[in-house]
Amino acid sequence: MNYYDQHVHTYFSFDSEEVFENYLKNEPDFFVSTDHFDLKNPYSNFRDDIPDYQAYLKKLKELTQVVPKTEFLKGIEIGVVPGQEAMIKEYLSQRPYDVKIMSIHQNGRFDYMDDAVLAKGKYIVAKEYFQQMSTVLDSFFEGDILAHFDYGLRRFDFTVKELQENYEDLLIEIFKKVIDLEMAVELNAKSFLKYNNAELYAYAMPLYVSLGGKEFTLGSDAHVAADYQNGFHEMSLLLKNIGIDKLTVFQGKERFVTELPTITMS
């Protein structure tokens, strides 16, 4: 099995209008979209953003008939705020997915990408963000992948030194919990390329490995088809440089180990 993008958004997400057909021009052997699930989402005026599961199943069935060479899987990106765990678990208990990404996007008051964080200051926001992530990992066990560990830092310029001196203890706590839960850690292309956080990953991924972490995924976090598998070359090089040559693929109750993808720079 070749590795394939496990973090992709379509029009089933509140922040994307992309159609499946445009992604499928890449002719993948497997395709999974991981559309957003965010309750009381500040981005949407505190609306519950929940993908339409029945419409999703119908679309995948249609695509299976049109593109029989591609195997379609069901995915979701779950934004978790403490206090929402029971509602999310109830939703998931009735709707099976092949891959479940766990993310920390917001805290019930603001999204960590909102302008509101700028008034609070980067050290306060980053501490709150990492503490929320650690708390969620104590109470929510449904995720396969921890996405973009740096999401709450994206509106600021953080150096590796600042991350290490201020938050290494929290990161160790988080990564130990990820390992205990047998989750994978995602390298996120938006973080690498758009938000210039590759150096933070170059620091954090060896830290995760030093604690016994072995499972990694690459995700483009594409919201348009042009970004499909974006950043895979750069992120694969980082992993190679720290001695990692395998990735994890999730397919329902099974997980598979694949080689790093061979992606050429355009």
Side-chain angles (χ1 to χ4, degrees):
M1 179 191 302
N2 294 323
Y3 187 78
Y4 52 89
D5 203 336
Q6 292 186 96
H7 193 161
V8 170
H9 295 277
T10 72
Y11 61 84
F12 283 105
S13 289
F14 63 87
D15 57 354
S16 176
E17 297 180 357
E18 189 57 276
V19 297
F20 290 81
E21 288 80 2
N22 287 338
Y23 285 113
L24 296 173
K25 292 176 182 178
N26 295 285
E27 300 182 345
D29 293 330
F30 294 87
F31 181 80
V32 61
S33 68
T34 50
D35 288 300
H36 284 296
F37 178 106
D38 285 273
L39 299 176
K40 295 179 173 57
N41 187 2
Y43 189 97
S44 304
N45 198 27
F46 298 96
R47 180 185 68 198
D48 288 343
D49 284 311
I50 301 174
D52 186 330
Y53 190 75
Q54 293 305 317
Y56 185 45
L57 295 184
K58 180 180 178 182
K59 181 62 180 179
L60 295 184
K61 183 177 180 180
E62 292 172 355
L63 290 169
T64 299
Q65 296 171 350
V66 176
V67 192
K69 292 184 179 180
T70 296
E71 183 170 340
F72 292 93
L73 304 169
K74 301 182 295 294
I76 191 168
E77 181 179 5
I78 309 160
V80 187
V81 174
Q84 298 179 349
E85 297 92 339
M87 291 180 286
I88 299 172
K89 290 175 185 177
E90 175 64 21
Y91 175 88
L92 293 174
S93 70
Q94 302 175 49
R95 298 165 182 84
Y97 287 93
D98 295 295
V99 57
K100 293 173 285 189
I101 297 175
M102 194 200 87
S103 298
I104 306 298
H105 292 133
Q106 49 108 350
N107 59 12
R109 307 185 309 279
F110 55 78
D111 190 285
Y112 286 101
M113 288 291 292
D114 287 348
D115 289 345
V117 303
L118 302 178
K120 293 176 67 69
K122 68 179 190 178
Y123 295 110
I124 293 172
V125 170
K127 184 177 181 180
E128 179 179 334
Y129 171 74
F130 286 131
Q131 286 177 333
Q132 179 179 335
M133 185 179 293
S134 183
T135 297
V136 165
L137 288 166
D138 284 332
S139 57
F140 186 77
F141 312 130
E142 301 293 329
D144 300 314
I145 300 167
L146 176 66
H148 42 50
F149 86 96
D150 64 309
Y151 183 89
L153 316 183
R154 285 178 171 180
R155 292 300 304 273
F156 306 104
D157 292 322
F158 268 96
T159 66
V160 168
K161 183 179 180 182
E162 288 173 322
L163 191 63
Q164 183 176 27
E165 289 181 349
N166 291 282
Y167 309 110
E168 183 164 278
D169 288 347
L170 268 171
L171 284 172
I172 289 172
E173 183 179 292
I174 287 165
F175 287 146
K176 283 182 176 179
K177 292 176 182 179
V178 167
I179 293 165
D180 288 344
L181 292 171
E182 299 183 342
M183 297 174 68
V185 170
E186 177 198 71
L187 283 75
N188 183 276
K190 277 192 173 179
S191 295
F192 258 65
L193 303 179
K194 183 175 181 179
Y195 296 103
N196 300 309
N197 282 346
E199 289 187 0
L200 302 186
Y201 279 79
Y203 153 71
M205 296 304 98
L207 180 63
Y208 167 66
V209 171
S210 74
L211 299 168
K214 300 177 181 179
E215 302 208 50
F216 296 87
T217 67
L218 306 181
S220 67
D221 203 353
H223 287 64
V224 294
D227 289 339
Y228 183 75
Q229 295 192 148
N230 198 29
F232 275 26
H233 177 83
E234 294 90 338
M235 296 187 294
S236 293
L237 283 179
L238 187 155
L239 290 177
K240 283 184 179 180
N241 288 339
I242 63 172
I244 302 298
D245 59 5
K246 299 291 191 298
L247 296 171
T248 302
V249 167
F250 294 90
Q251 296 186 359
K253 295 181 179 180
E254 296 186 280
R255 65 182 70 194
F256 302 93
V257 175
T258 74
E259 302 292 328
L260 289 174
T262 302
I263 304 292
T264 60
M265 296 289 285
S266 58

